[in-house]
Amino acid sequence: MTEFQFVKTHDDLEKALYIRRNVFINEMGVNESIELDKFDTLDSQCKHILVLYNKKPVGTARCNLISDTELKIQRFCFLPEYRNVGFGKLLLEFIEKEFSQIGYNYFFLEAKFSVHKFYEKCGYKKVSDIFIEANVPHIKMEKWI
């Protein structure tokens, strides 16, 4: 069973950060000083989401509340064995549903270019040229709801 929960405790935040460290730092080689930042707290302008599968933390995302209507999806990742099975689409749908209900209508992200087709399938449109972030090609994508 798949569950999505907003991170409300330090323990759950550590679970989300554990997943991010594994994916971004260990797997992709992103420097920890770039990956972890001031928004990785419970009292920042960001809302962290933890994805559980059979009660096990398998994925996470960070939603940066830019304004009352704009949300930037960040740090969207899953442990390797839980990729390409539909969890990513479900997580995007959860984010869009939860936040559109409270007035957010503009969602954007900076996707790794290698996975931008996934976001296109989920309704996101490319709105920039390719750029490099953390030594990885990215592209800005957006969706209006």
Side-chain angles (χ1 to χ4, degrees):
M1 177 179 180
T2 307
E3 299 173 64
F4 304 93
Q5 67 181 42
F6 285 100
V7 170
K8 294 182 176 146
T9 68
H10 288 287
D11 184 51
D12 283 344
L13 181 60
E14 280 307 312
K15 291 174 185 173
L17 295 178
Y18 171 83
I19 293 167
R20 286 177 37 198
R21 281 185 183 96
N22 272 283
V23 173
F24 295 118
I25 297 169
N26 299 340
E27 183 182 332
M28 295 177 57
V30 174
N31 189 301
E32 187 167 339
S33 67
I34 295 171
E35 170 53 29
L36 303 176
D37 61 27
K38 67 181 181 180
F39 297 115
D40 293 321
T41 66
L42 294 175
D43 57 354
S44 74
Q45 72 186 39
C46 293
K47 301 294 181 199
H48 299 265
I49 299 167
L50 197 56
V51 181
L52 305 171
Y53 180 68
N54 292 332
K55 306 289 185 199
K56 177 185 177 185
V58 300
T60 188
R62 184 172 84 181
C63 299
N64 192 335
L65 310 178
I66 303 297
S67 73
D68 290 341
T69 58
E70 282 181 89
L71 183 145
K72 182 177 183 181
I73 300 169
Q74 302 174 303
R75 309 312 200 260
F76 190 98
C77 64
F78 287 86
L79 295 173
E81 60 270 31
Y82 298 96
R83 295 178 195 155
N84 301 311
V85 293
F87 292 141
K89 182 176 187 235
L90 293 173
L91 177 53
L92 279 178
E93 289 171 351
F94 174 82
I95 291 168
E96 293 164 2
K97 179 181 177 232
E98 291 294 313
F99 287 96
S100 66
Q101 289 177 349
I102 57 171
Y104 288 86
N105 63 358
Y106 178 69
F107 297 78
F108 71 101
L109 50 91
E110 295 170 348
K112 287 189 312 182
F113 187 75
S114 62
V115 297
H116 81 279
K117 294 283 187 197
F118 160 75
Y119 293 104
E120 283 182 328
K121 288 179 186 174
C122 294
Y124 286 77
K125 307 252 186 282
K126 294 181 281 188
V127 293
S128 78
D129 292 327
I130 296 172
F131 60 93
I132 304 298
E133 184 175 310
N135 296 319
V136 177
H138 283 73
I139 193 160
K140 183 178 178 183
M141 303 184 78
E142 68 180 15
K143 183 175 184 178
W144 290 88
I145 295 181

